[in-house]
Amino acid sequence: MFLKIYWTTLLALGLSLSLCAQASVQGVVTDYEGEPLPGANVLLLPSGKGAATDLEGRFRIENVEPGSYQLQASFLGYQSHEQELQLSSGDPAELRIQLQPRAFSTEPLIVKATRAQATTPMAYVTLDAEELEPLNLGQDMPFLLRWTPSAVATSDAGAGVGYTGIRIRGTDPTRINVTVNGIPINDAESQGVFWVNMPDFGSSADDIQIQRGVGTSTNGAGAFGATINIRTTALKAEPYANLNASYGSFNTQRANVEFGTGLLNGKFTIDGRLSRITSDGFIDRAESDLRSYYLSAAYLGKSSSLRFITFSGRERTYQAWYGVPENILESGNRTFNLAGTEQPEEDGGPYENEVDNYGQDHFQLIYNNQLTENWNLNTALHYTKGAGYFEQYKAGEDFQEYGFAPITLGDTTIGRTDLVRRLWLDNDFYGGVYALNYVSDNDRLDATLGGSYHYYEGLHFGEVIWARFASGSEIEDRFYENDAEKSDFNIYTRFNYELLPGLHAYLDLQYRRVGYEFQGFDRQGDNVTQQVTLDFFNPKAGLFYRIDERAEVFASFAVANREPNRNDFTETTADSRPEPERLYDTELGYERRWDKGALRLNAYYMYYRDQLVLNGEVNDVGAYTRVNVDRSYRLGLEVTGGLQLLPKLRLEGNLTLSRNKVPAFTEFVDVYDEDFNYIGQEGIQREETDLSFSPEIISAAGLTYDVLPETKNSDLSISLQHKYVGEQYVDNSSDPNNRLEAYNFADLRIAYVLRPGFMRELGLRLQVQNVFDQLYETNAYSYRYQLDGNTVVDRWLFPQAGRNFLLALHLGF
């Protein structure tokens, strides 16, 4: 027993002496401004021991033998730090390591290449994930962005879920360029973005930049008034997991899970999200069932990175795009839905499957390489697969329109039938983008050579899946089929050069070529395959001057060209086909910052040649298509600012004042007699009319009170946001009987976040929308005609929900 106690005591003493002889090293890693760098790698050579910094940039390496070592500290986007270190037993060495930035960054250069930077002479706003999070309770992207300057959002279903859209400076969605990590998202043919195909995408956005006006050269559809650039690729150094759930009015539900591994072994990261959103909608039967995922995997080398990203959206929404007829709306029925009502009630109507059913899968492969200290290269490949249909019950359809032969039953000939049809779109979109960037040693010159090539293949076809009288048809019989192919090539070069201290000159030159092959009408009225090729040159130039640390001013001029969309080609002949549009955009800006406030002014003049508008004219194949208006313009002033009223109370807001005019054009209206027999068309000369959907006043303001300022343990804030949109005309006639009345609404938000020790955060958010229960409509369409000498306007409007709420729970680990 004595020997056992002796040897145990001796062993414990030896271990104790051994541990006492060990050394350790600890410290903090920051950037050149002293901000901590979480996830930085610190390594002791030749021991091989190391550690990663925590959220405060701190690290600690223990149990190191005393002696001489070489310490290495590295963080992606910064120059590596190396120093000799002599360690001895006793108190740990305390180090403060400051890393200097280098040109290479985890942000893909494709994103940087299509974005405005601090000295770019353009009007823009960038929202980071922290600013988006309080707004993101499951509604579509336009509703997250509707508080930004000059923005107006609308929802077909009336509650922000399902089909939604956004206008910026009166520019419609088909003229707003949208990219994700620099990859085009706009549909190649219609040139619009259907946000319903990207549900809950705000949860995967690290930041969003909105450029107003022409903006920088970008990839994809021509920016003709604004760009929305979404980035999803920021490095998250620490592992995380988030669970989000929300419930609200109209049985709106959202659930998602987000996760990330953090930086593994200093080289790998994986991030993902899985979401589902459902809603019954404010409008009758306007339910939505939306599913999506996002997955990103990245390898981070010493001077390069490779990232694979895939995201997908699946949507099934009951159609609500007909709007509410004005007479029904005035009767007090704000939720009426015409969709599906062609099926008689005695047959079970409204038709229960009058739905839009579509899915898109996106794949991106992005490679980033820091070639030298001055040169870096980024390339990306992408592929998008989309397929889906919308289904309709149609009553009393003519057999001839579907290629059916009449049916003879005894003495009766049947030439019409009730049927159900599906209109399909099956498309593939793929291509590549690149950007080569140079930054001079003295940082005075920043130059980029970039470009892209994209190819689109779209198959449009219609199927009859049921008919009361089927004639000689088969199930899923195709009654039309139309293939289209489109190529889009562009190359641009951009320079930002500091001429004098604080004075930067900007030049951006882009060449773009578009080729489109489609089925359209020839001069004989036959539908044949046709092809067009369009070449565009889009120059941009400007000056930016930093007056001092608190003030700056800029001026710029840009040219943008844009091709007509699918219907402009397929529903015209070569004689009636419209020309491309052109925009000349002049921007002037000034910003001033104070200790407790900031103010930004931006004046713009957007002058259009050959802008495409609907004027009611029927072309040579009997279709209502858009025509070129010789001249039109938008002249406006945007004011953005914020003020810290009290230590816990701040005010933020924006205001847009504008004139949006067509100096002269001819409007055509159909003329009918008293028995509603069509007589022809009458042309009406219009002078100095308003561009449609272009309110002269748009404003937003937010008042936020931090009840419990953000601390390590918790925070509580209450905010009230108000939006005002002036009256806007539904067409370009400036007819006072065909306008949307001015409207306003306010949202109340309460956010409480608790940070208990066992989890990162526990959040609860309440959003009461339209808190004062205003009645308003955000969108409409109309048909103007003359009946027995009187002008008649039939209108369909899109009312929005009254007071409603969303309640969200957030669990962060």
Side-chain angles (χ1 to χ4, degrees):
M1 176 63 71
F2 173 79
L3 289 176
K4 183 177 181 180
I5 295 174
Y6 171 80
W7 287 112
T8 301
T9 304
L10 186 62
L11 179 60
L13 181 61
L15 288 173
S16 175
L17 292 172
S18 175
L19 289 174
C20 289
Q22 300 293 303
S24 62
V25 58
Q26 66 183 30
V28 63
V29 179
T30 70
D31 64 12
Y32 69 105
E33 293 181 337
E35 293 296 320
L37 294 176
N41 289 313
V42 182
L43 187 64
L44 280 178
L45 297 177
S47 74
K49 292 188 175 183
T53 58
D54 61 18
L55 291 174
E56 297 178 348
R58 300 197 62 82
F59 70 93
R60 183 181 178 93
I61 305 173
E62 298 181 318
N63 301 328
V64 182
E65 295 288 340
S68 297
Y69 293 92
Q70 183 182 57
L71 182 141
Q72 293 182 350
S74 61
F75 189 73
L76 204 60
Y78 291 80
Q79 298 177 17
S80 295
H81 170 88
E82 296 183 0
Q83 71 179 75
E84 296 295 329
L85 197 62
Q86 186 70 34
L87 295 181
S88 58
S89 59
D91 294 334
E94 179 75 25
L95 302 176
R96 185 171 185 84
I97 302 170
Q98 194 173 60
L99 300 184
Q100 298 300 315
R102 64 181 181 187
F104 176 67
S105 169
T106 58
E107 176 181 324
L109 303 178
I110 294 296
V111 177
K112 178 182 176 183
T114 56
R115 285 202 164 189
Q117 307 299 318
T119 58
T120 303
M122 293 176 182
Y124 67 93
V125 60
T126 303
L127 305 175
D128 60 27
E130 191 172 308
E131 295 171 286
L132 291 169
E133 186 178 8
L135 305 170
N136 185 21
L137 278 70
Q139 293 176 304
D140 290 351
M141 187 68 72
F143 273 62
L144 272 62
L145 305 180
R146 62 178 173 168
W147 304 103
T148 60
S150 302
V152 176
T154 184
S155 168
D156 285 7
V161 177
Y163 270 88
T164 60
I166 187 170
R167 294 177 181 268
I168 300 175
R169 290 185 179 175
T171 299
D172 70 76
T174 68
R175 292 174 166 93
I176 298 175
N177 172 276
V178 179
T179 59
V180 172
N181 303 321
I183 306 299
I185 296 298
N186 296 70
D187 177 74
E189 292 190 280
S190 70
Q191 302 187 58
V193 172
F194 303 97
W195 296 104
V196 69
N197 299 328
M198 302 170 64
D200 204 25
F201 202 74
S203 297
S204 295
D206 291 304
D207 59 49
I208 301 174
Q209 184 177 97
I210 303 175
Q211 300 173 19
R212 303 185 300 279
V214 170
T216 64
S217 286
T218 188
N219 303 310
F224 221 65
T227 66
I228 299 175
N229 189 307
I230 304 172
R231 180 172 70 111
T232 70
T233 52
L235 173 68
K236 298 177 177 64
E238 294 294 319
Y240 66 92
N242 297 320
L243 299 175
N244 296 286
S246 60
Y247 179 81
S249 302
F250 320 116
N251 197 28
T252 300
Q253 302 178 53
R254 171 225 188 187
N256 80 14
V257 56
E258 305 167 2
F259 65 89
T261 62
L263 198 58
L264 300 174
N265 198 29
K267 294 183 180 296
F268 302 95
T269 65
I270 298 175
D271 298 274
R273 171 184 55 82
L274 187 64
S275 303
R276 184 179 183 189
I277 299 171
T278 60
S279 176
D280 291 342
F282 167 67
I283 300 297
D284 294 341
R285 304 185 306 284
E287 62 265 14
S288 301
D289 187 349
L290 316 176
R291 305 164 191 246
S292 67
Y293 72 78
Y294 173 89
L295 183 65
S296 170
Y299 169 78
L300 310 174
K302 185 175 182 180
S303 60
S304 65
S305 69
L306 181 67
R307 186 182 294 269
F308 172 74
I309 298 170
T310 177
F311 55 93
S312 176
R314 294 285 184 274
E315 60 92 4
R316 187 182 186 277
T317 58
Y318 198 97
Q319 295 163 24
W321 54 53
Y322 292 100
V324 180
E326 186 171 24
N327 62 323
I328 294 179
L329 187 68
E330 290 177 345
S331 72
N333 186 350
R334 299 182 59 81
T335 65
F336 175 80
N337 189 358
L338 186 65
T341 58
E342 287 198 44
Q343 180 177 6
E345 290 189 10
E346 57 267 24
D347 291 339
Y351 183 57
E352 65 179 8
N353 207 41
E354 193 101 349
V355 299
D356 186 69
N357 194 326
Y358 190 80
Q360 276 190 342
D361 300 311
H362 299 257
F363 304 91
Q364 300 179 352
L365 184 65
I366 303 173
Y367 176 68
N368 203 16
N369 194 316
Q370 181 71 40
L371 302 174
T372 69
E373 288 293 325
N374 304 101
W375 291 90
N376 45 47
L377 172 69
N378 186 247
T379 59
L381 299 174
H382 69 88
Y383 172 65
T384 300
K385 176 62 180 179
Y389 60 85
F390 66 88
E391 186 171 316
Q392 294 176 307
Y393 185 103
K394 303 294 290 183
E397 294 291 280
D398 191 331
F399 274 18
Q400 291 184 351
E401 293 184 11
Y402 297 85
F404 295 172
I407 301 174
T408 301
L409 299 176
D411 295 333
T412 303
T413 299
I414 299 174
R416 292 182 176 273
T417 183
D418 297 347
L419 55 81
V420 175
R421 69 184 188 183
R422 287 178 176 174
L423 305 184
W424 276 86
L425 174 61
D426 188 347
N427 53 23
D428 299 271
F429 180 60
Y430 50 90
V433 298
Y434 71 92
L436 178 65
N437 184 251
Y438 170 79
V439 179
S440 63
D441 289 332
N442 57 12
D443 291 329
R444 293 183 63 183
L445 174 63
D446 188 334
T448 299
L449 174 65
S452 65
Y453 179 79
H454 316 283
Y455 199 80
Y456 170 90
E457 297 174 309
L459 175 60
H460 305 258
F461 61 91
E463 294 178 341
V464 175
I465 64 171
W466 173 85
R468 191 176 301 278
F469 301 104
S471 181
S473 67
E474 300 290 340
I475 189 170
E476 298 183 352
D477 189 15
R478 293 189 180 185
F479 58 91
Y480 79 90
E481 193 164 359
N482 187 339
D483 296 346
E485 297 181 4
K486 186 175 183 179
S487 62
D488 187 339
F489 166 81
N490 89 85
I491 184 171
Y492 62 87
T493 184
R494 181 180 305 131
F495 303 91
N496 194 324
Y497 183 71
E498 188 175 18
L499 301 171
L500 299 170
L503 178 63
H504 295 257
Y506 177 87
L507 180 65
D508 185 337
L509 306 173
Q510 184 196 52
Y511 165 74
R512 181 169 177 249
R513 165 169 278 205
V514 175
Y516 189 37
E517 185 175 313
F518 58 95
Q519 281 194 333
F521 293 94
D522 62 15
R523 288 177 171 84
Q524 287 72 46
D526 297 322
N527 206 290
V528 297
T529 300
Q530 299 186 47
Q531 184 173 349
V532 296
T533 301
L534 300 171
D535 296 280
F536 301 127
F537 177 59
N538 302 313
K540 309 165 186 68
L543 293 172
F544 175 95
Y545 180 59
R546 179 164 283 120
I547 301 170
D548 53 41
E549 293 182 354
R550 292 175 177 251
E552 54 208 34
V553 63
F554 73 81
S556 66
F557 177 77
V559 179
N561 292 273
R562 178 181 177 274
E563 71 274 20
N565 65 25
R566 169 182 165 78
N567 290 345
D568 298 322
F569 285 113
T570 61
E571 298 182 10
T572 59
T573 69
D575 294 326
S576 60
R577 189 164 299 141
E579 297 294 322
E581 306 170 282
R582 177 171 294 180
L583 167 62
Y584 302 92
D585 180 25
T586 302
E587 305 271 341
L588 300 173
Y590 172 77
E591 181 175 354
R592 181 72 184 181
R593 297 173 294 276
W594 296 271
D595 290 340
K596 294 186 178 181
L599 178 68
R600 173 173 289 181
L601 305 175
N602 189 76
Y604 62 89
Y605 179 60
M606 299 167 63
Y607 176 69
Y608 300 87
R609 295 303 305 267
D610 294 327
Q611 184 173 190
L612 287 167
V613 302
L614 281 168
N615 71 343
E617 185 176 6
V618 177
N619 66 16
D620 50 5
V621 294
Y624 294 96
T625 56
R626 300 184 303 172
V627 299
N628 296 112
V629 171
D630 182 37
R631 294 176 295 121
S632 53
Y633 69 88
R634 302 183 188 276
L635 174 66
L637 174 67
E638 296 167 325
V639 182
T640 307
L643 183 63
Q644 191 73 38
L645 300 173
L646 297 169
K648 296 183 180 182
L649 184 66
R650 65 182 182 275
L651 174 67
E652 298 171 298
N654 56 72
L655 169 68
T656 300
L657 305 173
S658 65
R659 283 175 55 86
N660 312 276
K661 298 291 184 178
V662 182
F665 82 106
T666 301
E667 179 197 13
F668 290 85
V669 295
D670 293 333
V671 180
Y672 298 87
D673 64 18
E674 60 182 0
D675 297 320
F676 224 98
N677 296 311
Y678 180 72
I679 299 175
Q681 285 198 315
E682 178 181 346
I684 303 172
Q685 189 64 34
R686 300 291 187 184
E687 303 289 339
E688 196 70 11
T689 63
D690 291 83
L691 284 168
S692 61
F693 300 105
S694 300
E696 293 186 351
I697 303 176
I698 304 173
S699 69
L703 192 64
T704 301
Y705 180 63
D706 295 317
V707 181
L708 297 175
E710 185 172 345
T711 66
K712 185 177 180 180
N713 297 320
S714 64
D715 59 85
L716 172 64
S717 66
I718 301 175
S719 64
L720 181 66
Q721 290 186 293
H722 181 267
K723 184 83 175 184
Y724 175 85
V725 179
E727 69 176 26
Q728 47 192 311
Y729 292 93
V730 177
D731 60 17
N732 299 295
S733 68
S734 287
D735 183 349
N737 296 315
N738 195 21
R739 64 184 177 184
L740 290 173
E741 298 296 332
Y743 63 87
N744 71 92
F745 60 87
D747 289 358
L748 175 67
R749 293 204 306 266
I750 302 174
Y752 177 67
V753 178
L754 182 66
R755 299 178 181 85
F758 61 90
M759 60 189 301
R760 180 165 47 86
E761 61 181 24
L762 170 64
L764 191 64
R765 292 185 175 88
L766 172 65
Q767 181 168 290
V768 183
Q769 301 176 120
N770 195 4
V771 66
F772 299 119
D773 203 23
Q774 297 292 301
L775 302 181
Y776 64 98
E777 297 81 43
T778 56
N779 198 12
Y781 62 93
S782 65
Y783 174 49
R784 291 165 46 84
Y785 58 96
Q786 286 188 10
L787 179 62
D788 194 24
N790 299 313
T791 299
V792 180
V793 183
D794 288 338
R795 304 201 307 162
W796 293 261
L797 301 98
F798 293 85
Q800 304 299 287
R803 185 185 301 113
N804 63 97
F805 78 94
L806 285 169
L807 180 64
L809 175 67
H810 168 75
L811 306 177
F813 300 92

